[in-house]
Every structure is written in structure tokens, then in C-alpha cells.
Amino acid sequence: MTSPQNDSDPQGHQHGHSHGHGPAAPVSKHLRKVIAAVLIPFATAVVVGLVALWPGSAPPHERTGVGFDRQTQQAKVVRIDKVDCKEVNAAQMPTSGDPTTPPGNGAGLCEKATVEVTTGHDKGRTFLEIVQPDAPRQLREGQGVVVAYAPDAPHDLQYSVTDVNRKFPMTLLAGIFALVVVAVGRMRGVMALVALAVSFAVLTLFILPAVLQGSNPLLVAVIGASAIMLIALYMCHGLTARTSVAVIGTLISLLLIGLLGSLFIGWAGLTGNTDDSTGLIHGLYPHIDMSGLLLAGVIIGSLGVLDDVTVTQTSAVWELHQANPTMGARGLYRAGIRIGRDHIASVVNTLVLAYAGAALPLLLLFSIARSSVGTVANSELVAEEIVRTLVGSIGLVASVPVTTLLAALVVSADRTGLGAEAVAPAPVRTGKGRRRRARA
């Protein structure tokens, strides 16, 4: 008697199809339980921290009228007239541009701008703004501007132009960015934009107000960064074991960055109070720990690049295992770390150049002063950037072997899932025309 399991046997066809093309679970249920046992308590602690430290809103304070702490309104330039600078006595009238801009020499033609306030209780009110010919920012008719309001100043000097209105070009650029992300990333791009919005919400609704309320900046940064990490990674990459490994690798690297940052910020005596902005913050809220705020900035600044590194390394190991299911944990780690070395070189260089670009005006000032490299590096302004860059880079470099090792151990530990399913040979035809399944 011949076996009934022939080419037309639907049962045999279904079995062979499930081996050859069916989706395989990336990890076993046991491993998923182990990962959940690590991440669920961590996620619970993050939620508890968010609830316990949730600030509500920033505490009120009396405006100082300095820098960003000024009252501002929107306005529009309605008329520009050319006048002799000597006739208008520019030194006694409000001038456009940054308050630190040196005054002109009083010679040549100045611009007398008539500016109309378009928002606030003084909407419709006009005032004059004198723009010197050597001012870094010139005004034009019809231009939208931002004006500062000083209620205690004389009536004619209560308003002055402080900046131009950039809302339209900035909004347009943001729209182009969103379109490009969605056009290229499709649904992943949409989720990335949603995750970006959620990250910004956590930053503005939790981290910043909580620091202003007097909570420990390091604790707030750790909880906020952890919340951003969990939301962004799972939202963009799905609730999978692969994403969970990336989350664990990111968490370990963030802990390393926090420890190193705390050690070297204290050891180097960095106060975090190095410029006008931090000085104003310390003056308004003297209870804020500025060195802790500096460390919080290091952690949050490193998170974005860490996400990229850990997700890339985890995906690389998963793809390597899918391409060669017989490869063990050691082989996967070696192959993944070779990919990671290229990633390390580019990411560290990117991080250093990003910080150097942000501090370029400061570095230029030191170059003009012809200060030695040692003098420049020892100044607190530059030392902050050096510590920020090196601590972040150490965490990034460490994240590569840590995440690669975790991914290799997790994906290779599943002997009954992806590996076994992928190596099962396809059905073969015997000499009598019967299809038999290969025995494992």
C-alpha cells in the first residue's frame, strides 16, 4: 500500500508550507517572560516617579525684564524713513538689535522705523525705533517683529524691538520635515513624529517644570529620559523582544553616563553656572542645583544618539541570525561588533562635532585671545563641553558591546523558535513520487 500522503494531500502541503514560509517567533515564551520580568518593574518605577514628581506648572515669579524674562508682544513695521543720525540723536532713542550691540558713531543715514504693536492691551499703539546703519539687523517695511515691553519705563521708551518674527519660516520648515519623514518612512515615519511630539511633551510638561519646582534635576532627568525612551522606542519599533533588548541596552548605557557624569562633574568642580542664561536661572530660582542641571543635560542629550545605536545593533544581530540561524551567540557577537565598530567611529565623531559646532563662537573668542590649548580646556565653559562630550561618548561606545551581547544571547537562546524553524529543510520528493517530510 502506498502512503496517502501525496502531492495533492492538503495536510502534507500545509505542514510543508508552515516550515518553509511561516513566520517564526523571534524568541521563546520563556525568554519573553525573562525580559518582561526586567522591564515591567522598571516601567512601573518610571510611572510612579512621573506621578510622584509631576509638577503641574512652573512656579510664578516677578519678571526681571532681563533676557528671556522680559514681557514681549508681536508687532509690525509699518513705515521706514531715512534720517540723519545726528539729527535724531540715536543714542537717546531705542535702537534695534541686541542690547549688547555697540552704538554707532552717529554719522550717516539712520532708519526711523514706525512700529505698530499687534497683540496685547496696547494693540494698535505705535512707537519709533531708530536703526543705525552699522546695526547687525536692519528692518524693512511690513516685517513682523517681537517687541519688549517695560511697564516701568517712560511712556515713549516702554516698547523696543528685540527680534524679528520667524514663526512662518520655522513652521514651514517643520512642515517640510514632517512631509519628508512620512514620505520616506511611511507608517514608521508617522509613529516617529508622534514619538517626537510625546518626547517634547515630557520635556516641557514634566522635566522643565519639575526642575523649577525644586526637584532633584538628576532624578527628574533619569525619570523623564526613561519615559521618553520607553515611549519612543516601543512606539516606533513595536512591542517586541527586539525592542526590549534595545531598551535594556539603552538603560544600562544611561546608568553608566549618569555615574561617570556625576563623578567627573564633581571632581572637576563644574558649577553649571557659566553664562547669562544659567546666571539668570540661578538668580530667579536659587534653590536649583545647577551642577545637577548640567548632569541632567548630559543624560538627556545622550539619549537620542543612544537610541539610534542600540536599535541599530539589536536589528543587526537579529538580521544576522535570520540570515544564518546556525550561528551561535559567540559568532553573532563577533559579527555584530564588527558592524558596531563602524557605527562607533561615525557616532563619536558626530557627537564631538555637534558640541564643537555649538561652542564655535566661544572657541573663536579663545582663538582671538591667542590662549593656549591648556588654558582654553581649563576654563569652565570649555571644560563643561569636554566633560559632556567625553562622558556621552563613553556611554555611546559602551552601548555597542553591551547591546550586541544582550541581543546575541537572547536571539541565540531560542533553540525551538527562529533557529529551529529556519533550518528545517523543505519537503523532498522520493523516487516513487511521494513527498515526505524530513525528520528533525
Side-chain angles (χ1 to χ4, degrees):
M1 295 288 293
T2 60
S3 172
Q5 200 171 11
N6 53 31
D7 287 343
S8 60
D9 183 11
Q11 185 178 359
H13 176 73
Q14 288 176 356
H15 191 90
H17 181 78
S18 66
H19 277 291
H21 305 286
V27 294
S28 63
K29 288 184 179 179
H30 174 70
L31 284 175
R32 277 179 280 181
K33 289 181 180 178
V34 172
I35 294 173
V38 175
L39 288 180
I40 289 178
F42 169 66
T44 303
V46 171
V47 173
V48 171
L50 286 172
V51 173
L53 296 179
W54 194 264
S57 61
H61 70 276
E62 293 292 333
R63 287 187 179 272
T64 62
V66 178
F68 291 105
D69 201 39
R70 291 176 290 187
Q71 298 183 45
T72 60
Q73 299 292 345
Q74 301 298 316
K76 182 175 67 173
V77 179
V78 295
R79 183 176 176 180
I80 297 287
D81 295 313
K82 295 288 185 180
V83 294
D84 191 337
C85 292
K86 293 181 179 180
E87 292 181 2
V88 297
N89 194 10
Q92 297 182 9
M93 298 191 68
T95 56
S96 176
D98 192 279
T100 60
T101 302
N105 54 21
L109 290 177
C110 289
E111 290 183 345
K112 184 171 69 173
T114 303
V115 183
E116 180 183 351
V117 180
T118 57
T119 60
H121 65 279
D122 282 335
K123 181 178 180 180
R125 176 178 169 180
T126 60
F127 65 94
L128 297 179
E129 184 86 11
I130 301 301
V131 183
Q132 300 173 6
D134 56 351
R137 179 169 52 242
Q138 300 293 316
L139 301 179
R140 67 179 185 274
E141 191 170 322
Q143 183 179 29
V145 293
V146 179
V147 296
Y149 174 61
D152 297 331
H155 185 269
D156 292 340
L157 301 177
Q158 285 182 333
Y159 283 97
S160 60
V161 176
T162 60
D163 211 340
V164 299
N165 191 332
R166 304 182 180 89
K167 288 184 178 179
F168 178 74
M170 300 293 285
T171 304
L172 178 61
L173 181 60
I176 295 173
F177 164 74
L179 288 176
V180 171
V181 171
V182 173
V184 176
R186 305 287 180 88
M187 195 59 196
R188 285 288 182 92
V190 174
M191 298 308 296
L193 292 177
V194 174
L196 179 62
V198 172
S199 300
F200 187 74
V202 172
L203 181 64
T204 56
L205 299 179
F206 171 71
I207 295 178
L208 299 181
V211 171
L212 292 178
Q213 289 281 13
S215 300
N216 185 288
L218 178 58
L219 181 61
V220 170
V222 169
I223 294 174
S226 299
I228 291 173
M229 173 185 66
L230 290 170
I231 294 171
L233 286 180
Y234 282 119
M235 188 173 289
C236 293
H237 305 285
L239 192 64
T240 63
R242 181 188 305 193
T243 308
S244 298
V245 171
V247 167
I248 296 174
T250 304
L251 175 62
I252 294 173
S253 302
L254 281 178
L255 291 176
L256 176 61
I257 290 174
L259 291 174
L260 287 176
S262 180
L263 172 63
F264 283 95
I265 287 175
W267 196 357
L270 300 178
T271 63
N273 189 1
T274 54
D275 56 22
D276 293 340
S277 298
T278 54
L280 179 60
I281 293 172
H282 185 65
L284 294 174
Y285 302 96
H287 58 273
I288 293 179
D289 180 9
M290 299 305 294
S291 60
L293 189 63
L294 173 61
L295 179 56
V298 173
I299 293 174
I300 295 173
S302 302
L303 177 61
V305 189
L306 269 177
D307 288 351
D308 174 53
V309 173
T310 55
V311 169
T312 300
Q313 286 304 116
T314 305
S315 297
V317 172
W318 244 262
E319 293 300 324
L320 286 168
H321 184 61
Q322 193 169 12
N324 185 5
T326 61
M327 189 181 297
R330 180 175 297 180
L332 287 171
Y333 176 79
R334 288 176 177 175
I337 206 68
R338 285 195 295 269
I339 299 173
R341 290 192 184 105
D342 292 335
H343 206 182
I344 286 173
S346 61
V347 166
V348 170
N349 195 45
T350 300
L351 193 64
V352 171
L353 290 179
Y355 285 129
L360 199 57
L362 176 65
L363 297 177
L364 187 59
L365 285 177
F366 281 111
S367 179
I368 293 172
R370 297 183 179 180
S371 301
S372 65
V373 175
T375 302
V376 172
N378 190 67
S379 66
E380 185 168 1
L381 275 171
V382 177
E384 277 190 8
E385 299 303 325
I386 292 175
V387 170
R388 191 194 311 269
T389 302
L390 296 182
V391 167
S393 297
I394 290 172
L396 290 174
V397 172
S399 70
V400 172
V402 168
T403 308
T404 305
L405 179 61
L406 286 173
L409 290 175
V410 168
V411 77
S412 63
D414 182 26
R415 298 303 181 187
T416 60
L418 177 61
E421 297 257 351
V423 297
V428 295
R429 186 180 297 275
T430 63
K432 295 182 180 181
R434 293 191 301 268
R435 177 173 295 177
R436 295 178 179 175
R437 290 173 292 172
R439 301 288 183 182

